[in-house]
Amino acid sequence: MKKEGDKQGTPDGRIRAPWERSFDRIITPFEEFVHRETTSGLLLMAAALLALVLANSALAGHYQHLLHVPLGFSIGEWRLEKTLHHWVNDGLMTLFFFVVGLELKREILVGELASPRQAALPIVAAIGGMAVPALLYTVLSPAGDALRGWGIPMATDIAFALGVIALLASRVPKALITFLVALAIVDDLGAVVVIALFYTEQLVWGLLIVAVALTGLLAVMNLVGVRRPPVYFLIGLLLWLVLLKSGIHATLAGVITAFTIPALPRYEPAAFSRRMRLLLDRFDANYHPGESILKNQALTSVVQTLSNGVRGVQTPLRRLENRMHMPVAFLALPLFALFNAGVPIDFANLTQALTQPVTLAVMLGLVVGKFIGIAGTAWVAVRLGLAALPAGVGLGQIGGAALLGGIGFTMSIFIAELAFAGQPGMVLAAKIGILSASLVAGVLGAWWLYHLGSPGARE
């Protein structure tokens, strides 16, 4: 039985400590992103399932009580108090929007959206995937307050979609995953714009002026070279508080702050390389075999300087995206699912619940609207020569990705809460539609792509 600290042999006879394996495989930022989103999607599924179990069990009363537990703080006569449900939706989800903003900025600068040729197909498909579901919902939903939910079926949950793709292993080409990620990022940008323009309360113009001033301050900080994230977080927190009272949804503070995070490193790569080589030479000169690094002050100093240099050659944008993705993917989003996916289902009247106008409009918008919108516009764009298919990807596989686009979970539930604020019946109907559509879209998309990935399958 191996003990902690034992070394492991390799086929070539070398002795290797377990941690050294982490240096053997160099993964790209995209591979790391897909891996984290896939894990997040599986965790989201577990959290959503737990919420459904709690809401339909003997613990339902305790679950509802948890959602409405008040939590707040005060400074002098000023007080801010919300329920746990609101803190998750308005507070923790701001971190989610912050990461979305970081991903959007990176993709626009150097990612799949930086090249017009690469960006054409996912952008066109995303626009179709937002417009057709919204139009279909508007046609199917009754007049009145129900029409406010037109934005619900517009969104795609990339974490859930990649979680489904992960189950298909090697049957899905990497280029299709790239297409789906780019499409979802454009989709997120569209959702942010829709929330900002159409799902706001009565505006308080004085506070909006303050918000504009804080946004200007963030932009100036970027221009003058401020690279310390805590400074941006402080101004971003003030912006969040101002937007919370202004009428514009506070989570947009996350996107605004993210777009002002610097995308330039402190050190140029060439200067970094020269500096690191000198430091490594100094490390070798001061290294004494068998001696603990704790006793060697010179080595400790060199290692600390190396660490500072590695931080300096990374852009604050990329460093923050890496650092923030974990707490968002493994804390904020699962908590959002736990607090929002707990839909009480009357199984005796399930058919009646699924045929409610809002529920039906959301379901058809996500499953049918997304498929027609994404696959249809992609087909037209390719046929007209406006865009090209990714290498190794056929239109049939684009159709499978279009079905997975109907998984709208996170952003769709978020918009439903905004669209039907103060109308729990409609919120419930919309959530039933979202959960049902996400299940159907996930199963159909997985079956479609599995079939196309089988030996001998043709488009």
Side-chain angles (χ1 to χ4, degrees):
M1 187 175 192
K2 289 184 176 10
K3 297 180 180 178
E4 184 179 358
D6 286 352
K7 295 182 178 180
Q8 300 176 2
T10 60
D12 60 6
R14 294 171 57 202
I15 301 297
R16 174 179 296 167
W19 60 266
E20 289 180 315
R21 297 182 186 277
S22 62
F23 291 95
D24 286 345
R25 181 169 181 261
I26 299 176
I27 64 174
T28 66
F30 179 77
E31 290 172 329
E32 185 178 7
F33 171 83
V34 170
H35 173 73
R36 289 182 308 198
E37 288 287 354
T38 299
T39 307
S40 173
L42 298 176
L43 188 58
L44 266 179
M45 293 179 193
L49 182 61
L50 176 59
L52 283 170
V53 170
L54 290 175
N56 293 278
S57 68
L59 298 173
H62 298 287
Y63 174 74
Q64 291 297 325
H65 175 73
L66 176 65
L67 298 184
H68 297 94
V69 169
L71 183 66
F73 59 91
S74 60
I75 302 175
E77 296 183 357
W78 184 82
R79 181 172 181 81
L80 179 62
E81 183 177 290
K82 290 179 173 289
T83 63
L84 277 179
H85 184 215
H86 282 104
W87 276 114
V88 168
N89 286 14
D90 295 346
L92 279 183
M93 287 302 286
T94 302
L95 298 179
F96 165 73
F97 276 88
F98 179 74
V99 173
V100 167
L102 294 174
E103 292 170 352
L104 279 170
K105 183 172 181 178
R106 174 178 51 78
E107 288 293 324
I108 291 170
L109 292 175
V110 298
E112 293 299 316
L113 305 180
S115 164
R117 180 170 178 79
Q118 284 182 305
L121 188 63
I123 288 177
V124 169
I127 292 173
M130 290 184 285
V132 175
L135 180 62
L136 188 58
Y137 178 95
T138 303
V139 171
L140 295 174
S141 66
D145 291 340
L147 283 175
R148 281 187 53 81
W150 61 268
I152 297 172
M154 293 176 63
T156 294
D157 194 304
I158 184 59
F160 258 116
L162 289 180
V164 172
I165 281 183
L167 303 177
L168 302 175
S170 59
R171 290 177 177 265
V172 177
K174 182 180 176 181
L176 183 66
I177 300 176
T178 305
F179 165 80
L180 184 59
V181 169
L183 180 145
I185 287 174
V186 177
D187 196 291
D188 282 342
L189 177 59
V192 168
V193 172
V194 166
I195 291 170
L197 295 180
F198 300 102
Y199 293 109
T200 60
E201 302 171 7
Q202 186 175 357
L203 300 179
V204 181
W205 290 102
L207 291 176
L208 283 180
I209 293 173
V210 176
V212 170
L214 290 172
T215 302
L217 178 59
L218 287 167
V220 170
M221 287 163 49
N222 179 297
L223 292 175
V224 301
V226 176
R227 286 183 170 81
R228 294 189 176 276
V231 181
Y232 288 90
F233 286 150
L234 177 60
I235 305 301
L237 177 60
L238 293 176
L239 180 61
W240 179 83
L241 288 169
V242 170
L243 290 181
L244 188 65
K245 301 294 184 180
S246 71
I248 292 181
H249 204 270
T251 51
L252 296 179
V255 178
I256 294 171
T257 305
F259 268 85
T260 62
I261 299 296
L264 294 175
R266 183 181 298 275
Y267 304 129
E268 290 294 331
F272 167 78
S273 178
R274 291 192 299 269
R275 180 63 174 163
M276 291 301 103
R277 292 177 192 279
L278 291 173
L279 288 170
L280 287 174
D281 290 341
R282 185 180 298 178
F283 182 94
D284 292 339
N286 288 280
Y287 172 65
H288 305 297
E291 181 184 53
S292 171
I293 193 172
L294 291 174
K295 298 180 180 179
N296 195 324
Q297 186 63 38
L299 281 187
T300 303
S301 300
V302 171
V303 170
Q304 183 60 53
T305 307
L306 281 168
S307 176
N308 294 338
V310 169
R311 287 172 54 85
V313 78
Q314 290 181 302
T315 66
L317 176 72
R318 186 64 190 172
R319 193 166 69 244
L320 271 179
E321 186 181 349
N322 287 335
R323 182 177 298 175
M324 295 299 298
H325 202 287
M326 292 291 282
V328 168
F330 296 102
L331 179 63
L333 289 183
L335 280 176
F336 176 82
L338 185 63
F339 275 69
N340 288 275
V343 177
I345 300 174
D346 183 0
F347 291 97
N349 298 305
L350 184 58
T351 302
Q352 181 180 354
L354 290 174
T355 55
Q356 291 291 322
V358 169
T359 303
L360 199 58
V362 169
M363 286 180 61
L364 292 176
L366 282 170
V367 178
V368 179
K370 277 287 185 182
F371 177 77
I372 295 175
I374 294 173
T377 53
W379 181 83
V380 170
V382 171
R383 288 288 183 255
L384 294 179
L386 301 176
L389 288 170
V393 175
L395 282 170
Q397 290 165 318
I398 294 294
L403 282 171
L404 293 182
I407 304 176
F409 191 79
T410 304
M411 197 70 83
S412 291
I413 290 179
F414 189 81
I415 294 176
E417 292 278 354
L418 298 179
F420 301 134
Q423 297 174 294
M426 285 192 175
V427 171
L428 180 62
K431 286 184 178 180
I432 292 175
I434 293 166
L435 294 174
S436 303
S438 296
L439 177 62
V440 171
V443 171
L444 286 178
W447 174 83
W448 184 302
L449 292 174
Y450 181 87
H451 171 71
L452 286 180
S454 61
R458 294 178 179 270
E459 185 176 322

